Amino acid sequence: MTEGGCGHIGAIEKVKHPKRRECEECVKIGAEWVHLRTCQECGGTRCCDDSPNRHATKHAKSSHHPVIASAEPGERWLYCYPDDAFVEY
Ligand SMILES: [Zn+2]
Ligand SMILES: [Zn+2]
Ligand SMILES: [Zn+2]
């Protein structure tokens, strides 16, 4: 995958998809989520910024895992936090 400006997305050869269609953090605390995102570094699936707990963004910031993919059916895109790069694939 090639994308100008972001070497993180450029380094991804195969997009990681969710193992389970649930936010692994919300499940633990009994919270609800809106959309799901899958971390392309560790493969963990967490909730989006429209969700009350924003676990995907919190995980990216605290773990320094730069790239997430949408885990929603029919959505094919990647987002890199440090480069603020959005790429459809
Ligand atoms: Zn990047
Ligand atoms: Zn969550
Ligand atoms: Zn991660």
Side-chain angles (χ1 to χ4, degrees), residues 4-58:
C6 171
H8 306 100
I9 289 173
I12 293 172
E13 291 177 356
K14 195 167 181 300
V15 175
K16 287 186 174 69
H17 295 290
K19 295 183 196 76
R20 308 174 67 130
R21 296 217 4 99
E22 59 189 28
C23 171
E24 58 185 57
E25 308 289 335
C26 283
V27 162
K28 285 184 211 161
I29 58 174
E32 295 189 353
W33 58 85
V34 180
H35 302 295
L36 294 170
R37 310 292 182 232
T38 300
C39 177
Q40 296 301 295
E41 195 76 24
C42 63
T45 296
R46 298 175 182 83
C47 54
C48 70
D49 283 357
D50 294 329
S51 307
N53 292 291
R54 303 183 175 189
H55 284 126
T57 295
K58 281 184 193 161

